[in-house]
Amino acid sequence: MSSVNQCHVMAKPSSSVCNLDCTYCFYLEKEKLYPERKSQWKMSESTLEMYVKQYIDAQDAEHIEFAWQGGEPTLLGVDFFRKAVEFQNKYKKHHRITNAFQTNGLLLNDEWCQFFKQHNFLIGISIDGPAHVHDHYRLSRSGKPSHAKVMSAINLMKQHKVDFNTLTVINNENAKYPEEVYDFLVDIGSSYLQFIPIVEREAKTESENGLYLISPEHKQDSNVTSWSVAPRAYGEFLNRVFDRWVKKDVGKIFVNTFDSTLATWCNEPSGICVQSETCGHAFILEANGDMYNCDHFVYPEHKLGNVHQYSIKDMNQTEKAYKFGQAKKDTLTKQCQQCDYRFACHGGCPKHRFALSHSGQPGHNYFCEGYKTFFEHTEKDMKTMRDLLSRGRPASDIMYLYLQQQLTTHQFSGGRNSPCRCGSGKKTKRCCG
């Protein structure tokens, strides 16, 4: 095993405590692993300082990004993160520190936004689309909708010029409205869109840890939950959003799956772990200092240690951390190994490998059909953008090629005030024209 002097840690200083009760949240029930956290759920100042110091020490790179998530991290209050910045400044040397902060937005106010702006925090705001789909699952603990409050938070961040992007969980409901979801996110000012497909399996009987949403490694009888997005539906969602994006928004709007796929077509590393050849070294830190292999594997068998007993640098170097990441490559089904799109997918997230391959081999990715549908649908355009980049031209030039094609085939008619041919519903002069 070679030495690894780089890692990423996502800290959850508020543990699983949240002011929403989203139906599809896989993390809320993890409080059963930490029953004492119901009364002691906040990360202590000593654990915070230990984490910040160790995380900086574990990096060889000059740029270090701290990632804060939950639960809901704003429940800790602004002063907790002022202290975090204070510790970052105390322990950094030549490093350039940045912070990414994921929130549902419900508690954001002027004080939060002023803090974010002052310290250049990048905010990820969780929003699943327009109100009728967002409020389908993202409800408060009293069952009230949350969309209006999230929109207020977004408007407040705009007023304070806080940089933000959006994280959208693709579930069985919003997958029905790809164009509407995409247009909504762009219209509210998001220029970087993260689409995360949700699939969870629910055990028919409680696991030994008291959990019902199970790890892919467990073999109990289970059912895919009703809110999970079906593989074909996820692929069609991506395809229809891609068709919108490739004709009018390349270079302006960035979608995580599209950017990562284009990178693989250009023989570059994937930008996201889901599509990388191996994983690992992207850890999750609980509020008490426990560190796990991955956000999706917060189970006792994947605990690496605690920052009060072991350093992050040492835990990153362990055989256990290495084997977890390497297993993604080493456990591919034969169908995956022989797939034409292996280079772009690498079997997807290990969490989702609970299906059977065509030959009946276990450990195949649940979303395989959706991914393959997407890769087949976008192959021609991905190759075009790859070739443009290889000739020193921007990938966004593909939009001009589409426009030329429309002009050549006389599909573009009616003038600048006619509905745009890309299907956005906007006038040509306010869209592709």
Side-chain angles (χ1 to χ4, degrees):
M1 183 185 73
S2 61
S3 178
V4 179
N5 297 314
Q6 192 72 17
C7 65
H8 184 267
V9 176
M10 183 164 66
K12 299 203 171 188
S14 59
S15 191
S16 61
V17 176
C18 188
N19 49 358
L20 283 182
D21 190 17
C22 303
T23 307
Y24 56 62
C25 184
F26 70 92
Y27 197 66
L28 282 175
E29 72 164 6
K30 294 295 174 66
E31 65 185 16
K32 294 177 183 177
L33 297 176
Y34 295 98
E36 76 281 2
R37 306 305 289 170
K38 290 184 178 180
S39 58
Q40 300 174 349
W41 54 273
K42 296 182 179 181
M43 180 179 282
S44 68
E45 187 172 312
S46 62
T47 301
L48 175 63
E49 182 170 12
M50 189 82 70
Y51 161 56
V52 171
K53 181 181 186 302
Q54 290 186 15
Y55 188 44
I56 291 173
D57 288 344
Q59 313 298 327
D60 278 347
E62 181 177 333
H63 174 221
I64 301 174
E65 180 185 75
F66 282 80
W68 308 97
Q69 203 174 62
E72 176 47 45
T74 56
L75 290 169
L76 290 161
V78 182
D79 286 343
F80 178 90
F81 293 97
R82 287 197 177 103
K83 182 61 69 171
V85 171
E86 182 182 314
F87 288 141
Q88 290 170 358
N89 289 329
K90 177 180 178 180
Y91 291 109
K92 73 177 183 180
K93 301 176 182 67
H94 59 284
H95 306 100
R96 179 170 60 89
I97 305 286
T98 57
N99 288 273
F101 189 100
Q102 189 66 39
T103 177
N104 60 37
L106 269 63
L107 295 181
L108 294 193
N109 54 24
D110 288 324
E111 183 182 17
W112 273 110
C113 290
Q114 288 164 3
F115 169 78
F116 291 150
K117 182 63 179 175
Q118 178 185 359
H119 297 287
N120 298 312
F121 272 53
L122 173 63
I123 309 306
I125 191 86
S126 298
I127 186 164
D128 286 355
H132 72 95
V133 290
H134 175 94
D135 287 334
H136 194 84
Y137 291 123
R138 296 188 66 81
L139 302 172
S140 70
R141 291 189 175 274
S142 60
K144 294 180 180 178
S146 63
H147 190 267
K149 289 186 176 181
V150 179
M151 288 304 301
S152 294
I154 290 172
N155 290 330
L156 197 60
M157 287 192 290
K158 289 179 181 177
Q159 291 174 23
H160 287 272
K161 295 180 170 54
V162 173
D163 290 334
F164 74 94
N165 57 39
T166 51
L167 186 150
T168 301
V169 174
I170 307 304
N171 52 65
N172 70 314
E173 184 62 23
N174 62 0
K176 302 171 186 174
Y177 309 97
E179 294 88 358
E180 185 178 356
V181 168
Y182 176 76
D183 289 347
F184 172 82
L185 296 173
V186 172
D187 287 344
I188 65 174
S190 178
S191 57
Y192 185 83
L193 282 55
Q194 298 181 70
F195 292 133
I196 309 296
I198 184 76
V199 58
E200 296 291 344
R201 288 189 302 157
E202 190 169 34
K204 294 181 180 179
T205 57
E206 186 180 282
S207 73
E208 61 183 19
N209 300 315
L211 305 179
Y212 278 93
L213 299 180
I214 58 175
S215 159
E217 298 170 332
H218 290 269
K219 308 302 181 186
Q220 309 105 312
D221 289 339
S222 62
N223 296 312
V224 171
T225 58
S226 59
W227 60 80
S228 299
V229 59
R232 170 67 70 167
Y234 178 55
E236 288 300 323
F237 177 91
L238 290 177
N239 288 349
R240 287 166 61 180
V241 170
F242 181 86
D243 289 346
R244 194 75 133 205
W245 171 83
V246 77
K247 294 175 183 175
K248 68 185 189 71
D249 287 332
V250 182
K252 295 186 297 181
I253 305 298
F254 302 90
V255 180
N256 62 338
T257 306
F258 303 168
D259 292 345
S260 181
T261 302
L262 179 58
T264 62
W265 276 105
C266 296
N267 294 318
E268 296 290 338
S270 165
I272 54 179
C273 59
V274 172
Q275 292 176 247
S276 298
E277 185 174 23
T278 60
C279 57
H281 310 291
F283 307 117
I284 187 74
L285 187 80
E286 284 289 338
N288 70 341
D290 285 348
M291 196 164 86
Y292 291 83
N293 275 317
C294 170
D295 186 23
H296 293 297
F297 287 80
V298 180
Y299 298 94
E301 60 268 34
H302 289 288
K303 180 180 170 181
L304 294 169
N306 186 288
V307 294
H308 290 283
Q309 281 81 46
Y310 308 95
S311 72
I312 291 175
K313 186 172 184 177
D314 287 344
M315 286 187 277
N316 184 40
Q317 305 279 356
T318 60
E319 188 75 16
K320 188 173 183 178
Y322 172 79
K323 284 185 175 180
F324 176 83
Q326 193 65 26
K328 181 181 181 183
K329 177 182 177 181
D330 295 342
T331 58
L332 289 175
T333 63
K334 187 168 290 186
Q335 182 181 334
C336 268
Q337 294 173 23
Q338 297 172 349
C339 180
D340 291 340
Y341 299 108
R342 175 181 172 178
F343 72 94
C345 176
H346 294 294
C349 180
K351 179 191 177 181
H352 301 149
R353 293 182 181 179
F354 56 82
L356 298 177
S357 69
H358 291 328
S359 64
Q361 185 180 358
H364 200 66
N365 196 293
Y366 170 81
F367 286 116
C368 176
E369 181 186 9
Y371 286 135
K372 191 168 185 181
T373 296
F374 170 69
F375 295 137
E376 287 175 343
H377 181 79
T378 61
E379 179 174 354
K380 180 175 179 291
D381 286 330
M382 288 292 176
K383 287 180 175 178
T384 298
M385 289 188 285
R386 176 199 63 190
D387 294 344
L388 286 166
L389 290 167
S390 71
R391 299 200 301 272
R393 294 171 61 185
S396 57
D397 275 4
I398 192 173
M399 297 185 294
Y400 297 109
L401 300 179
Y402 267 108
L403 187 58
Q404 288 174 350
Q405 185 181 47
Q406 290 174 343
L407 289 167
T408 302
T409 57
H410 303 289
Q411 293 179 357
F412 182 82
S413 62
R416 285 165 51 76
N417 288 311
S418 64
C420 188
R421 286 289 179 177
C422 76
S424 67
K426 299 178 182 179
K427 291 182 179 181
T428 297
K429 65 183 179 183
R430 299 192 181 280
C431 195
C432 298

